[in-house]
Amino acid sequence: MCVPASAADRIFLNGRIVTMDPNFTIVSALAVEGARVLATGDAAAMLALADTDSVVEDLDGQMMLPGLIDSHLHPDQASVSEFDHPIPAMLTVTDVMDYVRSRAQVLPEGEWIWVRTVLTPRLRERRYPTRAELDQAAPRHPVIFAPYIYYPKASLNSLALERLGIDREFESETPADIERDPTTGEPTGLVRNHTRYVDDPGEVDRTNDSERVEAVRNLMGIYNSVGLTTVSDRKATPISIKVYEELAAQDALTARLSLMHLLDTSPGRDVEEIVADILALGQLREQINHPMLDLIGVKTFIDGGITSGTAYMLEPWGESDRFAILDPLYRGNLVLSGDRLERLIRASANAGLQFTGHVVGDAAITELVRAYGAVIRETPIRHLRPSLTHANFIPEQVIGQMAEWGIVADIQPAWLYLDSNNLLDQWDENRLRHFQPLKSLFDAGVLVAGGSDHWHRLDSHSATNPFNPFLGMWITLKRVPRYVDRAVNEDQVLTREQALRLYTTNGAYLLFREEQVGSLEPGKYADMIVVDRDILESNLDDIRDTRVLRTYVNGELVYDAGSEQ
Ligand SMILES: [Zn+2]
């Protein structure tokens, strides 16, 4: 054994320490020096590294893991989402009505009540609240229920319709925009393309600069409390970067943060303008130089989503009232493709930036992988870890191409839990064959990282989207979705080791941090967590409720459940 020259500052003994090294080694003791892991092994070997100042901590049999990694979230947006008032979890239409009622009690009569980010397909009833229900909850306030600005429909109450002049005689841009009672012709309250008729400001952020900094600092603490020590903002903007840089300058980032910068690829923009943006981001990357904060790449949107019925699919979506799909041949939205897409991938490679595209549907994934393949023939990009974001429906032949070209994926396991029941209703079991084919990806040697896409509310289990990594791990081991009594593609369940890889070593690789974090090995940062159960031995269903007892970043305690009680 080679004995390090320096002494340990802190030694952990009597643990079940899952190192996540390539051999999945489990040890009982670990030594930290400064911000880094000094050594791992047994008690005798670690105590040999002690000097008189070393702090020795008895783990008392508890499990220690490397700090967990979330490959995809939106900290700036999420951090201020409850700034005005706490927003409850809304699982049913009744919950939505209760929330509207509570807003009506505090807002002056006549003021608009907006209900956002409640994704209709995730409500128990999987329908919009009706005009009558919203009237009942808030008769004297105009109410609009609009999951996001570009969602297919919004639901309005009577006062909102009256304010907008939407009545029996109202002439809409297209007749289908305003749903009407077939016998009376009276608007039902459901409005398609609502931004044609309502000035929808989107989510409004009422915070000032210092409040934003404080909000993100607070959120990083919440991330630490569920075991996250490295995270990625997959849609950073100049505004959020300013906040993150401020926190880094104050030494107040308690989770490592890797940024993917959003590209503005609006159809009206010339591709040369976007290429110039990419070059400028390549330079910005050089300027952000902090061990806790870096800019690693660019993100684009290629298609829509599964909860809005806009993911770009190989087969038609099929008519749907919930998704407001009237055209039987509709396959979803493709917003970036072909030569334009290839140009942007090439420009990112030239700027030394990772490229990722938001791709949910199988047709969008096929198109982005095709574009990577076309670029790879002339420009090497494997070292930049070309990525698919979301990658929900991956056709089999594409998995082979991903393996061949080194394409990695950032996947949201919680969607398997939350969205399968709705997709099973819209389609069938057969069509869900390729929904998050995690086992096939692992078997093919494709690197997949686990992420949440957290962007609204702060509760780790009920936020949109839930960011509790143990919920994410658990569903990959089980694949039994909410409100469904059987597994979706049981042959795609992962092993416990693989589930852990999603949130440790694989996340580290996606974010170019595999030399720093993801496993507890000598020389890596001492980012680690202690949890309240043995997730390798416990009942499968207990894993989702795992609680983090302590979280360390750079060898320092940043969260202690004991001190919170
Ligand atoms: Zn996202």
Side-chain angles (χ1 to χ4, degrees):
M1 191 183 115
C2 101
V3 179
S6 39
D9 295 318
R10 202 188 273 267
I11 292 173
F12 297 88
L13 300 178
N14 303 322
R16 213 160 115 72
I17 303 174
V18 184
T19 64
M20 297 309 295
D21 71 0
N23 300 321
F24 200 54
T25 308
I26 296 174
V27 296
S28 62
L30 174 142
V32 172
E33 189 207 5
R36 294 180 189 265
V37 175
L38 179 63
T40 60
D42 61 16
M46 295 307 104
L47 287 171
L49 301 171
D51 65 12
T52 48
D53 300 331
S54 302
V55 176
V56 178
E57 200 169 314
D58 189 338
L59 288 172
D60 208 12
Q62 271 160 344
M63 180 163 271
M64 176 180 269
L65 299 165
L68 303 176
I69 299 173
D70 188 311
S71 63
H72 182 148
L73 22 74
H74 303 285
D76 67 317
Q77 203 180 346
S79 68
V80 296
S81 59
E82 295 188 74
F83 180 77
D84 274 355
H85 59 278
I87 299 171
M90 289 178 248
L91 300 177
T92 63
V93 170
T94 310
D95 293 340
V96 173
M97 288 171 67
D98 288 346
Y99 172 66
V100 169
R101 209 171 277 122
S102 74
R103 296 307 292 154
Q105 275 164 12
V106 295
L107 291 172
E109 266 183 34
E111 204 163 295
W112 283 83
I113 295 173
W114 286 83
V115 186
R116 288 199 182 279
T117 73
V118 178
L119 308 180
T120 329
R122 287 186 185 171
L123 286 174
R124 185 72 187 97
E125 301 86 345
R126 287 183 288 138
R127 65 167 174 84
Y128 286 77
T130 64
R131 171 177 174 173
E133 284 166 337
L134 297 176
D135 281 348
Q136 199 193 325
R140 284 181 287 279
H141 294 75
V143 181
I144 177 162
F145 174 99
Y148 338 116
I149 199 161
Y150 53 86
Y151 227 60
K153 291 190 200 177
S155 179
L156 283 67
N157 77 344
S158 296
L159 196 53
L161 291 170
E162 190 190 311
R163 288 279 186 87
L164 298 170
I166 299 175
D167 57 13
R168 224 171 290 190
E169 281 75 45
F170 182 75
E171 282 186 33
S172 48
E173 258 182 64
T174 59
D177 280 356
I178 309 295
E179 277 191 19
R180 293 170 189 279
D181 182 300
T183 42
T184 65
E186 185 66 22
T188 63
L190 285 168
V191 175
R192 293 190 179 86
N193 303 311
H194 73 278
T195 51
R196 290 174 177 170
Y197 312 102
V198 194
D199 183 15
D200 184 342
E203 270 179 274
V204 181
D205 176 10
R206 298 177 210 283
T207 54
N208 63 32
D209 285 359
S210 63
E211 285 163 342
R212 293 178 76 88
V213 170
E214 204 40 50
V216 173
R217 184 205 312 268
N218 176 54
L219 181 59
M220 291 293 155
I222 295 172
Y223 288 159
N224 294 151
S225 76
V226 294
L228 297 171
T229 56
T230 296
V231 297
S232 178
D233 183 336
R234 291 309 260 186
K235 200 175 74 187
T237 61
I239 296 172
S240 62
I241 291 177
K242 207 175 130 203
V243 172
Y244 303 147
E245 284 194 299
E246 172 66 25
L247 281 168
Q250 293 176 18
D251 239 350
L253 272 180
T254 56
R256 292 173 213 285
L257 181 53
S258 292
L259 311 176
M260 295 292 280
H261 199 290
L262 179 65
L263 288 182
D264 176 4
T265 56
S266 317
R269 292 195 82 205
D270 193 88
V271 71
E272 295 301 339
E273 280 177 63
I274 312 170
V275 166
D277 287 353
I278 293 172
L279 287 178
L281 289 168
Q283 283 156 9
L284 178 63
R285 185 187 59 148
E286 304 297 321
Q287 290 155 28
I288 300 177
N289 193 2
H290 191 281
M292 300 299 286
L293 179 68
D294 60 0
L295 173 66
I296 58 172
V298 292
K299 188 250 184 83
T300 58
F301 281 90
I302 311 278
D303 73 340
I306 40 174
T307 64
S308 56
T310 52
Y312 186 55
M313 303 298 294
L314 293 168
E315 300 286 325
W317 266 82
E319 288 165 69
S320 160
D321 184 48
R322 190 173 313 128
F323 292 127
I325 298 170
L326 307 170
D327 173 4
L329 297 179
Y330 165 86
R331 294 202 288 127
N333 298 340
L334 180 71
V335 296
L336 178 62
S337 61
D339 183 56
R340 188 174 166 96
L341 174 58
E342 289 171 34
R343 290 280 308 276
L344 302 184
I345 295 171
R346 218 170 276 125
S348 307
N350 293 334
L353 295 166
Q354 182 180 52
F355 188 91
T356 197
H358 162 119
V359 280
V360 172
D362 45 15
I365 289 171
T366 303
E367 170 56 12
L368 178 55
V369 171
R370 181 207 62 75
Y372 282 140
V375 172
I376 281 168
R377 280 185 260 284
E378 316 139 23
T379 313
I381 58 172
R382 179 186 277 267
H383 63 294
L384 295 169
R385 304 170 192 184
S387 145
L388 308 183
T389 284
H390 306 313
N392 273 304
F393 293 91
I394 311 184
E396 221 163 283
Q397 70 276 15
V398 169
I399 295 178
Q401 292 168 333
M402 291 176 73
E404 188 187 336
W405 296 330
I407 297 169
V408 299
D410 147 36
I411 286 185
Q412 287 60 57
W415 297 6
L416 197 59
Y417 178 56
L418 297 175
D419 296 321
S420 296
N421 74 319
N422 188 52
L423 293 169
L424 281 168
D425 185 55
Q426 178 74 17
W427 300 328
D428 60 12
E429 207 102 25
N430 190 40
R431 199 160 168 188
L432 258 63
R433 241 176 29 252
H434 304 303
F435 187 32
Q436 297 198 6
L438 295 170
K439 181 76 165 46
S440 299
L441 290 163
F442 270 90
D443 287 349
V446 174
L447 186 128
V448 193
S452 62
D453 200 7
H454 174 221
W455 55 277
H456 199 260
R457 299 187 57 251
L458 303 178
D459 178 80
S460 74
H461 275 282
S462 69
T464 311
N465 289 293
F467 55 92
N468 193 298
F470 298 99
L471 172 71
M473 285 182 218
W474 163 79
I475 191 65
T476 69
L477 301 171
K478 185 103 177 176
R479 294 187 73 103
V480 177
R482 187 169 63 164
Y483 310 139
V484 176
D485 57 8
R486 61 190 186 283
V488 169
N489 302 327
E490 203 162 12
D491 55 338
Q492 292 292 342
V493 298
L494 296 182
T495 64
R496 296 190 195 209
E497 178 189 344
Q498 288 170 331
L500 275 165
R501 296 253 172 240
L502 288 175
Y503 290 90
T504 55
T505 43
N506 289 11
Y509 182 85
L510 179 87
L511 306 179
F512 302 87
R513 288 189 185 269
E514 73 275 15
E515 301 289 326
Q516 305 173 5
V517 295
S519 63
L520 298 173
E521 295 179 87
K524 292 200 182 182
Y525 286 118
D527 292 2
M528 57 243 178
I529 60 175
V530 180
V531 295
D532 72 343
R533 63 201 71 189
D534 183 332
I535 62 172
L536 297 177
E537 298 293 338
S538 67
N539 273 334
L540 218 52
D541 283 325
D542 287 343
I543 293 177
R544 62 181 286 184
D545 300 318
T546 301
R547 291 197 54 229
V548 173
L549 302 173
R550 292 187 295 287
T551 302
Y552 300 84
V553 171
N554 290 321
E556 302 282 340
L557 187 67
V558 294
Y559 169 75
D560 182 354
S563 70
E564 306 263 311
Q565 280 149 14

